[in-house]
Amino acid sequence: MAILMSTQERPTERRDAPAAYASHAQATRDHTASFPEDTSRTAGVVRGLLRIRDWVVRHVGATIASIFLLGVIIGVCRPSWFTSYGPSDTAPAERLQPPSAQHIFGTDRLGRDLFSRVLHGGGATIGASVLALSIAVIAGLLIGVVAGYSGGATDTVLMRFVDVWLAIPGLLLAITIVTAIGFGTTPVAIAIGIGITPAFVRTTRSQVLSIKASPYIEAATAGGSSFWRIILTHVLPNSLGPVSVMALLDFGGVIMGVATLSFLGFGAKPPAPEWGSLINDGRDYLMTAPWISLLPGLVVVLTVLSINILGRALKKEAA
């Protein structure tokens, strides 16, 4: 009986075998079909890593500068990750201590941790620099695009006004503006932004003049596109490249300008820290406690130098 049942079951197994083989073949085809997508994704990642490696090899200095700037950005955005001291915490018993394991940058005349004040002051200085640069870029793009694309009397009037604007020294103009509108971090940023706007106007205008003569602008005009449509669709996007590179190259100078006005006393009121005011705090202690001015000044110099090195590397790649 067992032999008979075994014999009867075998045909059933043979009848089910083709379906099982078909299912296995389909699964194999599906698995094989996924190979091109996985291979393409892997190849894209590999190409990206190779491009990064090549860029690092070509620009070793820019890579080091990028790492330093990344550390500065993280430090000013999250100072509590690097120090447990508050920027205004005083400890008279620890005043004018030199750099040590407890206080990396030492302490100032009130016993405040200088490293903590540098980190918190960096947020104010870099934030003001970003605001100033944003004002200059937006105003420069607006005036430069209108002047370059409109031409005629509009271009002449606007550019003569910009020429007069350029004739005034930027720092003197910034001091005049901040004196008129009041002291503080935001007024300093506005003053610096207004002072550097003319350079962005001239750069944008020269770029717009070359774009204006392009065939696709003539085609858009012949097609009935409006003035603002052409500007927003064609002129403005094609003008952003050179202006962006210029903004990065000028960012270091803007930081120096903000720090300078802060050093002169036009920035935030004490005890709020800023890089310029921190350097100013140690001017009476250059002989007895030089780290109060030198270490914040070193941070400013290294930050500006890193921005310039990175900006030149990106400009070289874009050329």
Side-chain angles (χ1 to χ4, degrees):
M1 180 64 71
I3 295 174
L4 180 59
M5 291 176 63
S6 176
T7 306
Q8 291 175 349
E9 289 175 356
R10 285 173 185 166
T12 303
E13 293 175 358
R14 283 194 293 268
R15 285 194 299 270
D16 294 341
Y21 293 155
S23 177
H24 177 70
Q26 182 63 34
T28 302
R29 286 193 296 270
D30 294 341
H31 181 66
T32 305
S34 65
F35 283 173
E37 182 179 356
D38 295 340
T39 303
S40 176
R41 187 181 298 111
T42 303
V45 172
V46 171
R47 285 195 297 270
L49 293 175
L50 290 176
R51 282 196 294 267
I52 294 175
R53 185 202 64 181
D54 294 339
W55 194 88
V56 169
V57 171
R58 291 195 305 271
H59 306 287
V60 178
T63 303
I64 298 174
S66 301
I67 295 173
F68 177 80
L69 290 175
L70 180 61
V72 171
I73 293 172
I74 296 174
V76 300
C77 292
R78 292 290 184 268
S80 60
W81 291 1
F82 300 91
T83 178
S84 58
Y85 295 100
S88 301
D89 296 343
T90 60
E94 300 179 356
R95 63 187 300 269
L96 299 180
Q97 288 191 358
S100 61
Q102 184 178 2
H103 300 285
I104 300 176
F105 281 11
T107 60
D108 62 5
R109 59 187 177 85
L110 298 178
R112 295 173 294 191
D113 182 74
L114 195 57
F115 183 65
S116 175
R117 290 180 63 77
V118 168
L119 292 180
H120 286 83
T125 300
I126 294 177
S129 301
V130 171
L131 177 58
L133 202 59
S134 300
I135 293 172
V137 169
I138 294 172
L141 282 172
L142 179 62
I143 299 173
V145 167
V146 172
Y149 192 77
S150 299
T154 302
D155 181 30
T156 301
V157 172
L158 288 176
M159 294 314 298
R160 296 297 77 75
F161 175 73
V162 171
D163 290 340
V164 175
W165 198 345
L166 277 171
I168 305 174
L171 184 60
L172 178 60
L173 179 61
I175 292 175
T176 304
I177 294 172
V178 78
T179 303
I181 64 178
F183 296 177
T185 304
T186 301
V188 164
I190 295 173
I192 294 292
I194 293 174
I196 64 175
T197 295
F200 288 91
V201 174
R202 295 181 69 90
T203 301
T204 303
R205 177 181 175 272
S206 63
Q207 187 69 17
V208 170
L209 289 176
S210 63
I211 294 172
K212 184 179 178 181
S214 301
Y216 59 86
I217 298 295
E218 297 178 0
T221 305
S225 297
S226 63
F227 174 84
W228 288 108
R229 181 178 178 83
I230 293 175
I231 287 180
L232 295 176
T233 306
H234 301 290
V235 178
L236 190 58
N238 288 287
S239 303
L240 288 177
V243 175
S244 300
V245 174
M246 181 180 176
L248 181 59
L249 291 172
D250 284 359
F251 190 40
V254 174
I255 291 177
M256 291 295 294
V258 172
T260 299
L261 290 183
S262 177
F263 177 85
L264 295 175
F266 295 104
K269 296 180 179 179
E274 287 183 342
W275 281 351
S277 62
L278 291 178
I279 298 173
N280 185 37
D281 288 343
R283 63 179 181 175
D284 295 331
Y285 301 91
L286 290 177
M287 299 301 296
T288 57
W291 58 86
I292 298 178
S293 291
L294 292 182
L295 292 179
L298 181 62
V299 172
V300 175
V301 170
L302 290 178
T303 301
V304 173
L305 181 62
S306 299
I307 292 173
N308 290 338
I309 291 174
L310 180 60
R312 289 194 181 96
L314 294 177
K315 183 179 181 180
K316 183 178 179 181
E317 288 291 322

